[in-house]
Every structure is written in C-alpha cells, then in structure tokens.
Amino acid sequence: EAQVTQNPRYLITVTGKKLTVTCSQNMNHEYMSWYRQDPGLGLRQIYYSMNVEVTDKGDVPEGYKVSRKEKRNFPLILESPSPNQTSLYFCASRSPGGKENEQFFGPGTRLTVL
Amino acid sequence: QQPVQSPQAVILREGEDAVINCSSSKALYSVHWYRQKHGEAPVFLMILLKGGEQKGHEKISASFNEKKQQSSLYLTASQLSYSGTYFCGTDLTGFQKLVFGTGTRLLVSP
C-alpha cells in the first residue's frame, strides 16, 4: 500500500529535550516536506526537499532541522524544543511535475512541549 | 505569501451547492486543493496548472483564473461526506513549495 508513515503519532516532551520525528514513504517520491498545523493558521511549510541531500527552508523553519540522506526518509529534528512548537505536524511526499501527481500526507504527529 | 480563502466557513443542507475561493497576490504556477476531516490528514482533491483550466471529479470541480490569480472550488449537490475543512495550496514556481491558505470549514447537515 502506497503510504507516508510518521512516528511517533503522539509525543509529550519537555522544553530543551532534543527529539526526532521520523517520516518515511514507499512511493519512490523525490519531493518531501514537513508542515505544521495550528488553529486558524492552516498548514505552514517548515522544510522541503527536492531530492537526496537537497533541502530548503519553507515559511517557518526556525527551531527545526531536517536531513535527507535516503530518498525514502525525511526526519524532522527539534534540537531544543520550546512550548511554541506545540503543534500538529504532517510529513508529505510527491513526485515533482505533472498534472496528476498528488501530494500524499502522513497521518500526523501531535507534539506537546511542556 | 499565504493565499486568502473565502468564505472562512459555510453551512449547507444536503443537496445544496457551495463555492470556495482562493486568491493570491502573486502569479501562480499551480493551485492544489485538499480536504481535511477532523483528526485526519489532508486528502488530495485536484491540481490546476496555469492556463485557466477547469477540471472536476464527479460533483466537485475547480477552475483557475490566471489573470486574477484566483481559483474556485465548486461543490455541487453536496453530500454529508463533503463536510470538512478545505485548503488551497499555491505554488509560485513549479518547484513544489506549496503555501496553504487558512482553510474553509464546510458543514453539510441532513
């Protein structure tokens, strides 16, 4: 089954404790991205990657890091989480170009930083 | 630059029609539409590329007015399953950097 997986689905942590949210896709997509979703603000892109070893900032990259060492994986790293990073996070993947290339979203990770 | 969606919320009775608009202040390469149900991930509906095309699937269709940099999503004869939040995502360059609007909440009642 074609899918994007994220782990963990739920996470409660404390300020300053480094964490990683994993993302993996099995569709051989070149393009992957991370979004955060907050009430009233919609989906905001954190980082995106066009291919292995190619990443770029989205609209709200502060406080986050990413890496793309393999095509299928795109982990999101919070080196020193703060309460304002409490949010719902989505990973997504897609093949670039084309009219019918939909973007697939993972199930989401709900993060709470105390 | 975040696209502007209107209206922010819509309440319909089953069988009624609705239009959701998405406007950008910048020239667009493409517009993407998604629907998200509560507690779930967004689900893809359709993509429109610049050129003013219109496309649709069953009773949900969309148009893209390149001159106005505006896209509209049309929901015809709404069903209960149409309830959710609709997001448009805009891509300025074709390099997949999608910027989403704040969403339109749609509630269809029996």
Side-chain angles (χ1 to χ4, degrees):
Chain A
E1 179 189 357
Q3 60 182 351
V4 178
T5 56
Q6 294 178 230
N7 282 292
R9 294 288 314 279
Y10 302 90
L11 179 59
I12 300 175
T13 189
V14 295
T15 299
K17 186 176 181 180
K18 180 179 179 180
L19 66 92
T20 299
V21 183
T22 63
C23 173
S24 183
Q25 51 96 2
N26 63 0
M27 295 165 280
N28 202 36
H29 287 164
E30 290 86 353
Y31 180 82
M32 298 185 74
S33 61
W34 276 102
Y35 297 88
R36 61 177 291 175
Q37 186 173 31
D38 303 288
L41 297 178
L43 291 154
R44 294 181 294 168
Q45 193 176 51
I46 303 170
Y47 269 94
Y48 65 102
S49 170
M50 297 297 292
N51 214 324
V52 176
E53 302 292 1
V54 180
T55 63
D56 204 353
K57 297 178 181 179
D59 296 307
V60 288
E62 294 78 21
Y64 304 95
K65 286 176 58 177
V66 293
S67 69
R68 187 91 182 273
K69 300 187 186 307
E70 303 169 281
K71 196 173 187 179
R72 62 182 291 130
N73 296 323
F74 190 44
L76 179 69
I77 303 158
L78 285 73
E79 295 272 1
S80 183
S82 62
N84 64 12
Q85 292 178 297
T86 292
S87 187
L88 178 60
Y89 292 86
F90 288 103
C91 179
S93 75
R94 180 182 179 197
S95 282
K99 290 186 177 183
E100 305 302 328
N101 291 340
E102 68 180 272
Q103 179 159 275
F104 291 81
F105 282 84
T109 295
R110 187 166 292 280
L111 172 65
T112 301
V113 183
L114 303 175
Chain B
Q1 203 81 10
Q2 194 171 31
V4 177
Q5 285 187 236
S6 63
Q8 289 186 314
V10 184
I11 300 176
L12 298 174
R13 289 201 178 274
E14 203 172 3
E16 292 181 337
D17 302 339
V19 180
I20 299 172
N21 297 307
C22 174
S23 297
S24 173
S25 59
K26 298 191 176 184
L28 299 176
Y29 177 84
S30 65
V31 179
H32 305 228
W33 285 98
Y34 290 82
R35 176 172 61 210
Q36 183 180 31
K37 293 189 179 287
H38 185 68
E40 299 179 7
V43 173
F44 171 80
L45 294 176
M46 62 189 75
I47 297 172
L48 298 102
L49 302 183
K50 65 178 180 180
E53 68 174 287
Q54 182 164 354
K55 63 188 301 183
H57 177 66
E58 296 183 348
K59 296 178 180 177
I60 298 177
S61 62
S63 64
F64 180 18
N65 186 319
E66 192 177 344
K67 289 184 179 179
K68 293 184 177 180
Q69 302 306 322
Q70 178 176 311
S71 178
S72 296
L73 186 72
Y74 306 95
L75 299 107
T76 306
S78 59
Q79 305 169 14
L80 297 177
S81 61
Y82 286 4
S83 293
T85 300
Y86 290 78
F87 291 97
C88 69
T90 55
D91 177 5
L92 303 184
T93 65
F95 287 100
Q96 313 306 327
K97 184 181 184 301
L98 278 182
V99 180
F100 285 90
T102 55
T104 296
R105 296 184 68 175
L106 176 71
L107 176 63
V108 181
S109 61

